[in-house]
Amino acid sequence: GLYHNEANIRRSYVNNEEIGNVTSVNYYVRDAPHPSHPVFEESDTNSLNYVRRMPAVANTSSRSRKLRGLMIYSYRSQSHSESVFNLAETLQQTMGIVCIDPYRSDEFRTQNCCTYIASEMEKADWVFFVFDKYYQSDRDFDGEEIPSTDAECEVPIEYNLAHIRALRLADTLMLNEIYARGMRNRKFIFLLMNNGLPEYIPKICGMFTYIRWPQDQKKLKSFIESSPKKKKRSYNV
């Protein structure tokens, strides 16, 4: 019978030492089982046809894809909004993360704000939650009028209930994913700006490491570079 051996089946290898970047170019008998399994029939090896199996070409498209980030924060303070905007620019310049500020996008104004936020969270490799003294009050707000702010705080002209609804949804989706993963966090990064107080961080988020910006910039970069690639999670709203 025909068995896998040098006498009855032709199989050759091209090693790295022989040809630069070609690895394991194998030749197998057409329509024959894998060489590790015997074929119980008489055959003349001189009349067999061979199929060349080329090595798989690595898909390099994902390597060139830039990381995508999403900024979630309370839009109630003009100064805080500007700080987040500057943070997003720095992340893109220093770490190559294209960060989306949803409140500044046209889609936020023209589409359903909650659907838009859910879609952007699904696309993002990282979601940055930037806390300030207004974050938790916006998250817990359940009224029909725009909440008040401190007298010295300059409120963005376009600030409205859509910003609060978007923040509340993002916060809910974030918590749901953390719970679903057994209190493991692989996508969300929690930040305090400058001298922000730890009490600004919601209780559940406080269980994880947070970044103080810009003091911990090296720490954030090291964390992102050492994290494995993630499979995106779908959010349905």
Side-chain angles (χ1 to χ4, degrees), residues 65 68 118-126 187 232-233 235:
R65 184 184 70 83
R68 187 181 181 96
S119 174
E120 290 300 318
M121 288 187 71
E122 181 179 346
K123 297 175 185 176
D125 296 286
W126 300 102
K187 179 167 185 171
K232 292 188 175 60
R233 185 178 180 88
Y235 300 100

Side-chain angles (χ1 to χ4, degrees), residues 207-225:
M207 298 174 61
F208 302 95
T209 301
Y210 69 88
I211 302 295
R212 188 176 291 278
W213 187 267
Q215 294 92 321
D216 295 337
Q217 182 171 349
K218 291 183 178 179
K219 179 180 178 181
L220 175 60
K221 185 175 182 180
S222 176
F223 175 77
I224 290 176
E225 291 177 347

